Amino acid sequence: MKRILTRYFLLQSEAPHPPPPPQQERQRLFRLCIENISDPERYLAKWFKGAHPSEIRRENVKQFFCWAFLNKRDYGLLDDQELEDYADQLEDLLGRELPPGKGDAVALRLTLDKVHMLYRPLIWYLIVLLIDTLTHLYMRYHSFQFYRLNTYQSLTVFPPRPLTLMASHTTPVKTLSYWYRPHTSQSRLPVVFIHGIGIGLWTYAGFLAELNRLQGEHADGATGAIAIEIMPISFRLTKAALNRESMKSEILKIVQSHGWSKFVLVAHSYGSVIASHLLRDGETSRMIEALLLVDPVSVLLHLPDVAYNFTCRKPSGANEYQLYYFASMDAGVAHTLARGFFWQENILWKEDLQDRRVTVVLCGKDLIVNTEAVGRYLASDKGPGSTDSTWKTKEWHGQGLDVIWFGDLDHAQVFETKQDYASETRSSTVFTFLIFAYAAIMSSAANDHGVKDATAAPQSQTPGHPSFRSSDRGDSIQANSPSVEAPGPAGYDFPHNDTQPAAHDGMPVTTLSNAQSVQQATQNTHYAQFMKPKFARAPIKEAGRVAYLGESSNLSLLVQDRHGSTDVVHYPLPDTVKGSKARLTDLDSIEIDILHQRGAFLLPPRALCDELVESFFQWVAPVVPVINRSRFMQRYRDPKNPPSLLLLQAMLLAGSRVCTNPQLMDASGSTTPAAMTFYKRAKALYDANYEDDRVTIVQALVLMGWYWEGPEDVTKNVFYWTRVATIVAQGSGMHR
């Protein structure tokens, strides 16, 4: 008990505040803060813990600014004039005078207030031990090496970490342990990852593992990674967190010990605070080629939301109680925020993010960060008081400063995989997008740094490849379409059909063309064949030409009624059922004209198409493995048996989202027009029932979700196409 009380009073001791910056720098900082306050009344109320405006008087405000800008509890005569100036500027912003004197309001002064914490039962630390062990095994399985503390330092962490003591590598620094993956790639930069508050790297293990598998089959080597462990914010009982200078020094020493001179920095939540320190240091800043910030708490840190939501808010919902009990009240976390969190050192401004490629990921339901204000500040030029929300739907370019907005996610949910989240399709899409955001930043930064990309697609022409015609850009960007008479690539036959009778007065057509009459008569015989017993045991030769008569098929009732139940649910389609090449004979001239108008039979120039296919297999296929590369490439190079045009257009769509070829980009560097072109071509082929191979259709549908116009598109978006793919797959019995 004595030891517990001693530790309690040690944790309550006052923070050693850093010296305040010079007065000129303080005034510049104050102006930056004032210029980026959209709701001054809310700003004041939150910093004073929800006090009534009449109780927040001038002396209260001066005392608050004394802590915020002078880094001390009380002020004297020498400080009074400066604080009076700050109070005057706040009055101008409020549009009213502050009541004179001192009221009953109490300001939130994080580093001076009492540290509120709860000690945990032993069972909680046993759970932490278990999760830490599982994380260790998971990271080892995915080829990470652990660099442990020395034996003495390891004993200062509770609960103990027995597996770490068996690690053969020792960290070159005193306090930070970390996970390391060797870097062997010649075309990409390694990554340094800094986690947020939680049970260490458990939340991020899936993300880090996916980074290992991003390279695909033809990578020129592995992408290295260093994942720093910060024990004081990982629900452990251990020493206090490092100060700014010590943290920078140890991270720099770790990176240099592995011979890295440039890297991509990825930080989540509290990790963005350390990212701020690294960006402001001359030596480490030069090493950061690109930056991915997820749920950053350091941007606009002068606003009260982060401090108030984490330390003062009375929880109401389940997620708020979870944050309050497991994070805010943890002894290590509470002490780190209350005695080692100095907002002037930690705040991140837009100017700190210039001259490098930066992507910031924000969630609309973040219960800690005011993401509306942060996103508007970073992505909009209309000022803090603007209600503009167009920045939420801006296309992500991977160039300069980008903001990715997930309006219906909470803090850290972008790291959740489909096993963790209720909506599997949605969460896996978000998780995948986060992976690709990192991957594109990493590759582009490497290219900017002059690293040769050994995996780039060859530019020479391959004999026997389908021809790629129209303009030298293959109509990949322009919305205009080629003429109806334009022929398609070699290997693809696009005949015209006999004309279907058409009604021009709005009435539906009531007669069939000759070809359609013959087709309907032929199809009427197909269902009868399924009822023949000998057909039930016929061999299946093509996976995409199968009929399914399982529990979700009405036709199964006919088979069972006539011949009894059977364990067979997959039946080969008769040879008389035509394949995709013959499908064009089922299209009337109007449908064929529409396909020509959409450019559905056109492909980009050969070299660009090769690069798009290569980009698809390099970046998309590793996390959306729906296409067998060797089989596809065999047909891709065969002019006599080319791949499905629907599938190829869908692959070009997905490839255009990750390909950085300038031919695909518009004046602002966006590939959205190119992606839209491929999307419309693939959609036109799908709507025309051009393809009848069920496997090919499912593959194409999955990839068509790579185009999304924006949140207002609630029909043909990524979730729509994934649902359609699921329905087609189940209807074809792919789940059996």
Side-chain angles (χ1 to χ4, degrees):
M1 178 61 70
K2 181 179 179 180
R3 181 173 298 180
I4 293 176
L5 290 175
T6 301
R7 177 176 174 80
Y8 176 82
F9 286 111
L10 284 174
L11 293 176
Q12 295 294 343
S13 58
E14 191 166 314
H17 288 75
Q23 183 173 356
Q24 186 176 1
E25 177 62 26
R26 295 197 300 267
Q27 292 172 340
R28 188 189 75 88
L29 179 61
F30 186 83
R31 284 195 300 271
L32 273 174
C33 294
I34 288 294
E35 291 168 0
N36 289 283
I37 298 175
S38 60
D39 187 345
E41 293 290 355
R42 179 181 180 276
Y43 167 85
L44 199 59
K46 287 286 186 180
W47 273 122
F48 282 86
K49 304 180 182 181
H52 192 273
S54 63
E55 294 299 329
I56 307 174
R57 298 175 177 269
R58 193 175 185 87
E59 291 302 318
N60 299 100
V61 170
K62 288 169 62 178
Q63 192 173 44
F64 169 70
F65 284 153
C66 176
W67 165 78
F69 294 94
L70 302 181
N71 290 347
K72 56 186 180 180
R73 184 185 296 273
D74 298 306
Y75 62 91
L77 291 176
L78 295 177
D79 306 317
D80 189 69
Q81 185 56 53
E82 180 181 351
L83 296 175
E84 284 287 341
D85 290 341
Y86 294 159
D88 290 341
Q89 294 182 56
L90 181 61
E91 285 181 335
D92 292 339
L93 186 65
L94 290 168
R96 64 176 177 86
E97 291 187 355
L98 294 167
K102 187 175 183 179
D104 294 333
V106 178
L108 172 57
R109 299 185 295 174
L110 204 60
T111 55
L112 297 177
D113 295 339
K114 178 182 177 181
V115 183
H116 296 280
M117 66 187 78
L118 294 173
Y119 280 99
R120 312 295 190 204
L122 180 61
I123 186 64
W124 165 248
Y125 291 109
L126 292 177
I127 293 172
V128 172
L129 171 61
L130 174 62
I131 294 177
D132 182 62
T133 302
L134 293 175
T135 305
H136 188 100
L137 295 174
Y138 186 86
M139 296 290 283
R140 288 289 298 160
Y141 177 78
H142 288 285
S143 304
F144 279 88
Q145 304 168 7
F146 185 69
Y147 281 68
R148 63 177 178 85
L149 302 173
N150 62 47
T151 304
Y152 172 76
Q153 293 292 338
S154 297
L155 297 177
T156 63
V157 179
F158 182 85
R161 312 179 71 192
L163 289 182
T164 65
L165 296 175
M166 296 185 287
S168 57
H169 303 284
T170 305
T171 177
V173 296
K174 182 179 179 181
T175 309
L176 295 178
S177 55
Y178 62 96
W179 288 91
Y180 169 70
R181 174 183 168 86
H183 185 67
T184 59
S185 174
Q186 299 299 313
S187 63
R188 296 172 181 83
L189 292 176
V191 59
V192 173
F193 180 82
I194 305 176
H195 66 81
I197 293 171
I199 306 185
L201 293 174
W202 172 255
T203 304
Y204 317 97
F207 174 78
L208 294 169
E210 288 297 326
L211 298 185
N212 293 344
R213 295 196 292 268
L214 272 175
Q215 320 318 321
E217 301 175 14
H218 302 288
D220 62 340
T223 299
I226 291 175
I228 305 293
E229 290 190 328
I230 308 174
M231 288 293 104
I233 62 168
S234 299
F235 303 163
R236 304 318 204 277
L237 297 178
T238 185
K239 294 181 177 180
L242 294 175
N243 61 31
R244 177 181 61 173
E245 293 302 323
S246 298
M247 181 67 75
K248 286 191 304 185
S249 175
E250 292 208 355
I251 291 178
L252 177 61
K253 190 171 182 179
I254 289 172
V255 172
Q256 290 177 334
S257 71
H258 294 287
W260 296 1
S261 59
K262 297 286 182 179
F263 58 86
V264 175
L265 180 61
V266 181
H268 176 245
S269 192
Y270 180 87
S272 66
V273 170
I274 300 172
S276 301
H277 303 164
L278 298 177
L279 287 168
R280 288 208 182 92
D281 181 79
E283 188 171 8
T284 54
S285 178
R286 288 190 295 269
M287 302 174 74
I288 302 172
E289 281 293 307
L291 183 64
L292 175 61
L293 297 175
V294 184
D295 304 328
V297 299
S298 55
V299 181
L300 298 187
L301 195 55
H302 69 288
L303 298 179
D305 300 270
V306 172
Y308 180 84
N309 292 337
F310 215 94
T311 63
C312 293
R313 177 179 55 194
K314 293 182 179 180
S316 56
N319 56 347
E320 292 181 5
Y321 273 103
Q322 182 181 12
L323 174 69
Y324 169 80
Y325 182 79
F326 291 106
S328 300
M329 291 294 104
D330 178 82
V333 172
H335 183 266
T336 299
L337 297 183
R339 296 298 181 260
F341 194 86
F342 304 104
W343 77 274
Q344 293 180 26
E345 296 180 344
N346 301 340
I347 194 168
L348 193 62
W349 299 104
K350 190 189 297 187
E351 63 192 47
D352 299 319
L353 304 176
Q354 294 177 351
D355 302 324
R356 55 172 52 87
R357 187 172 279 103
V358 180
T359 293
V360 179
V361 180
L362 300 173
C363 296
K365 295 184 178 179
D366 197 310
L367 75 165
I368 299 174
V369 183
N370 184 349
T371 50
E372 290 276 352
V374 171
R376 190 162 46 245
Y377 166 71
L378 294 175
S380 176
D381 298 324
K382 298 185 179 180
S386 170
T387 58
D388 172 54
S389 62
T390 57
W391 57 270
K392 296 179 182 179
T393 57
K394 284 185 178 179
E395 181 69 19
W396 174 72
H397 300 143
Q399 304 284 338
L401 175 59
D402 282 306
V403 175
I404 302 175
W405 176 260
F406 295 113
D408 57 348
L409 294 186
D410 201 345
H411 199 83
Q413 282 188 335
V414 292
F415 288 103
E416 295 182 3
T417 57
K418 63 183 181 181
Q419 288 81 9
D420 302 321
Y421 207 49
S423 175
E424 295 191 359
T425 299
R426 180 166 150 282
S427 73
S428 61
T429 302
V430 170
F431 184 78
T432 298
F433 189 85
L434 180 63
I435 293 290
F436 281 116
Y438 158 76
I441 289 174
M442 181 176 65
S443 296
S444 300
N447 293 335
D448 289 348
H449 189 51
V451 180
K452 181 180 179 181
D453 190 351
T455 63
Q459 298 299 315
S460 59
Q461 186 167 356
T462 304
H465 193 281
S467 62
F468 302 93
R469 61 180 316 281
S470 77
S471 66
D472 60 346
R473 294 189 61 183
D475 191 37
S476 61
I477 298 294
Q478 293 83 352
N480 58 306
S481 300
S483 66
V484 175
E485 299 301 322
Y492 296 96
D493 298 323
F494 306 118
H496 287 272
N497 207 339
D498 60 333
T499 303
Q500 178 184 6
H504 300 287
D505 58 355
M507 291 297 294
V509 174
T510 57
T511 60
L512 297 177
S513 67
N514 292 335
Q516 289 172 329
S517 298
V518 173
Q519 177 190 1
Q520 181 169 334
T522 302
Q523 290 178 342
N524 287 340
T525 66
H526 294 160
Y527 299 116
Q529 295 193 46
F530 289 119
M531 301 182 187
K532 298 178 180 179
K534 65 177 183 179
F535 188 76
R537 298 297 175 181
I540 295 176
K541 299 178 181 179
E542 296 181 54
R545 294 177 49 76
V546 174
Y548 172 66
L549 290 104
E551 65 278 0
S552 58
S553 172
N554 293 333
L555 289 177
S556 63
L557 299 176
L558 299 176
V559 176
Q560 293 178 12
D561 182 64
R562 180 74 177 268
H563 301 289
S565 61
T566 174
D567 59 334
V568 178
V569 292
H570 297 95
Y571 300 84
L573 289 174
D575 294 337
T576 52
V577 177
K578 292 173 284 187
S580 59
K581 285 204 172 182
R583 172 67 74 184
L584 278 171
T585 62
D586 300 340
L587 303 179
D588 58 51
S589 59
I590 296 177
E591 289 175 307
I592 294 176
D593 288 350
I594 292 173
L595 292 178
H596 278 291
Q597 291 292 331
R598 279 296 184 198
F601 301 141
L602 292 177
L603 294 173
R606 226 295 310 290
L608 179 57
C609 195
D610 285 352
E611 187 171 351
L612 284 166
V613 171
E614 177 64 24
S615 295
F616 170 86
F617 282 114
Q618 182 178 356
W619 298 112
V620 180
V623 290
V624 189
V626 295
I627 298 177
N628 183 292
R629 178 168 186 157
S630 59
R631 292 180 184 175
F632 175 85
M633 294 305 296
Q634 183 178 4
R635 294 187 62 180
Y636 183 70
R637 299 187 181 100
D638 185 359
K640 297 181 179 179
N641 185 31
S644 163
L645 193 58
L646 169 64
L647 180 60
L648 182 54
Q649 296 286 18
M651 291 174 62
L652 297 180
L653 160 62
S656 69
R657 301 307 251 172
V658 294
C659 183
T660 57
N661 191 310
Q663 295 182 74
L664 298 169
M665 299 178 183
D666 62 12
S668 64
S670 171
T671 62
T672 297
M676 181 187 298
T677 299
F678 295 128
Y679 170 79
K680 288 183 176 180
R681 292 174 179 177
K683 184 176 181 295
L685 291 168
Y686 172 76
D687 290 341
N689 293 323
Y690 169 79
E691 179 62 62
D692 67 354
D693 185 288
R694 282 87 183 275
V695 173
T696 300
I697 292 173
V698 171
Q699 291 171 320
L701 288 171
V702 170
L703 298 180
M704 285 171 68
W706 280 79
Y707 178 76
W708 185 22
E709 292 182 352
E712 69 280 359
D713 183 8
V714 297
T715 54
K716 302 300 177 65
N717 55 32
V718 57
F719 312 123
Y720 169 85
W721 291 114
T722 305
R723 287 194 295 270
V724 174
T726 302
I727 292 169
V728 175
Q730 183 180 10
S732 301
M734 294 184 187
H735 61 296
R736 293 293 301 273

